[in-house]
Amino acid sequence: MSLPILVLKFGTASITLPTGELNKPAMMDIARQVSTLRDQYHIVLVSSGAVGAGRASIANYRGEISQRKAAAAVGNHLLLNLYSRFFDVYGITVAQSLCERHHFANRDQFLQLKDTYEELWGNGIIPIVNENDVVSNRELKFSDNDELATLLAVGFGAEVLMLCTSVGGLLDPDGNLIRHVPRLTEAVFGVVRTDKSSMGLGGMASKLTFAKLATRMGIRVVIFGLTEAESIRKALDGTIGTQIEPQPMTLSARSRWLGSGSLVVGRVKVDTGAAVALQRRSSLLAVGIAEILGEFSAGEVIEIVDESGTAVAVAQARLSSFDLANLASRQNVEVANANDIVLL
């Protein structure tokens, strides 16, 4: 693509009022600010808020999964209508994209998704993305929109991933903003507060978890708030919010897709010899597997952990867990080829 890709994610607390109603002035200002960036970036706008916007229409709302799905069905319509109205002021058409995890776990489906976005960008259209809560067969708390935004950024090879939060960035234990994070270490995670908004599913721990994946894949991550004028531009320029530096990365597009830990459907534990061989860029053989953790099919993405349970790689399996269980004692059976393994 001719322009770099920018993924912008707005959580529920950023675009809704405490009552759950959509915050129209905030959304209007988002549209205005984003309109000034469209000549510099291909933009993906990931927006939460559908459940919060729709829950007032659900009688005796208690947050049960069926009620959340019903609220999302109502709220998605309200959310997109407002975005459409506000972006139309600037001559920008928006498109709705409701995503599910299988859109990322299946390589062919992911490439179709990417082709669709490229067609939208080519026509000056901004995709507005949300999880397809209505038909998802997993509880919504399993995957929040921080994860969705990260998967899009990693898969598309975005230059910047911006995560909006009600607290304006990463805060230290005294409540002071941490402006710059060269690398996400255990010490950085140790300062994270566990609180989150009453409306949303994610919190700062979620943002840092997915920021670590994004930065490992060479993407700059910005965590910011909407409290200042021109906050998106200022955060992008590094004058507000928390800037998390990208790490050096030379992976191909396919390897970036593989390297996204959220695609994992099963795990295998390997012995010390196999773990060492993987670091030397060798293939994974059945003889080196100490334990099969979970079920998976041939072609699906698995996580490889060492004897201590630490993730060392992800790979596209050449065998199903069932076949692997029956072949584990055979030394030369290849479970994953070196070309299909990404070290973590």
Side-chain angles (χ1 to χ4, degrees):
M1 300 297 292
S2 56
L3 295 176
I5 295 170
L6 167 64
V7 178
L8 268 164
K9 183 264 179 178
F10 296 96
T12 303
S14 300
I15 62 165
T16 60
L17 300 170
T19 60
E21 297 175 287
L22 291 171
N23 187 334
K24 294 179 183 179
M27 294 177 65
M28 194 180 304
D29 196 51
I30 288 171
R32 181 189 63 79
Q33 292 191 60
V34 170
S35 71
T36 67
L37 299 173
R38 64 171 174 165
D39 292 334
Q40 300 166 255
Y41 294 94
H42 290 308
I43 297 169
V44 179
L45 198 160
V46 179
S47 179
S48 303
V51 174
R55 72 179 193 173
S57 300
I58 308 303
N60 301 314
Y61 184 84
R62 296 178 300 278
E64 297 171 356
I65 186 65
S66 60
Q67 291 180 319
R68 294 182 67 87
K69 289 175 182 289
V74 175
N76 274 322
H77 171 73
L78 298 173
L79 191 68
L80 193 70
N81 274 355
L82 282 181
Y83 274 126
S84 181
R85 187 200 309 174
F86 297 147
F87 274 101
D88 188 58
V89 173
Y90 306 98
I92 299 174
T93 299
V94 299
Q96 185 174 52
S97 176
L98 297 177
C99 294
E100 301 169 44
R101 291 172 69 87
H102 67 83
H103 294 142
F104 298 91
N106 181 290
R107 179 68 174 164
D108 290 337
Q109 288 191 9
F110 174 74
L111 291 177
Q112 290 175 28
L113 180 69
K114 187 176 181 181
D115 287 345
T116 300
Y117 281 30
E118 290 177 349
E119 186 67 30
L120 291 172
W121 291 327
N123 285 277
I125 300 169
I126 294 178
I128 296 182
V129 191
N130 200 355
E131 185 178 5
N132 193 358
D133 299 333
V134 178
V135 299
S136 174
N137 62 359
R138 302 187 185 205
E139 291 194 9
L140 304 189
K141 65 180 181 180
F142 182 83
S143 171
D144 60 34
N145 274 344
D146 294 325
E147 178 182 32
L148 174 55
T150 304
L151 289 176
L152 288 165
V154 170
F156 290 178
E159 181 177 280
V160 188
L161 168 62
M162 300 183 70
L163 303 174
C164 186
T165 174
S166 59
V167 297
L170 177 61
L171 305 180
D172 67 19
D174 296 322
N176 300 311
L177 181 69
I178 300 174
R179 295 294 308 280
H180 182 246
V181 178
R183 190 180 187 92
L184 282 170
T185 63
E186 290 302 316
V188 176
F189 276 86
V191 307
V192 175
R193 296 180 173 184
T194 58
D195 55 317
K196 58 186 178 181
S197 73
S198 61
M199 298 294 294
L201 294 174
M204 191 56 68
S206 168
K207 287 175 175 56
L208 289 188
T209 296
F210 295 114
K212 185 175 182 179
L213 168 62
T215 56
R216 196 176 69 219
M217 295 298 169
I219 300 168
R220 179 165 68 99
V221 176
V222 183
I223 302 175
F224 72 108
L226 288 175
T227 56
E228 295 193 29
E230 307 302 327
S231 53
I232 297 176
R233 171 66 69 180
K234 289 179 180 177
L236 191 57
D237 291 343
T239 57
I240 67 170
T242 299
Q243 309 286 322
I244 308 175
E245 294 297 324
Q247 303 306 306
M249 194 280 303
T250 57
L251 296 176
S252 66
R254 184 175 180 277
S255 292
R256 286 199 306 270
W257 168 77
L258 266 177
S260 173
S262 293
L263 305 175
V264 168
V265 297
R267 290 172 173 78
V268 294
K269 181 181 289 187
V270 298
D271 59 28
T272 301
V276 171
L278 289 173
Q279 296 299 323
R280 295 172 179 164
R281 305 299 306 151
S282 298
S283 298
L284 175 62
L285 302 181
V287 68
I289 293 178
E291 187 178 358
I292 301 169
L293 307 169
E295 297 182 357
F296 51 88
S297 300
E300 291 189 312
V301 180
I302 60 173
E303 186 174 63
I304 303 170
V305 301
D306 61 20
E307 291 182 327
S308 68
T310 301
V312 295
V314 290
Q316 192 166 25
R318 294 200 165 191
L319 298 172
S320 68
S321 54
F322 175 80
D323 290 337
L324 179 57
N326 293 323
L327 295 171
S329 61
R330 295 177 59 179
Q331 294 197 10
N332 296 322
V333 174
E334 190 175 73
V335 178
N337 187 269
N339 294 327
D340 296 328
I341 298 173
V342 175
L343 298 175
L344 300 178

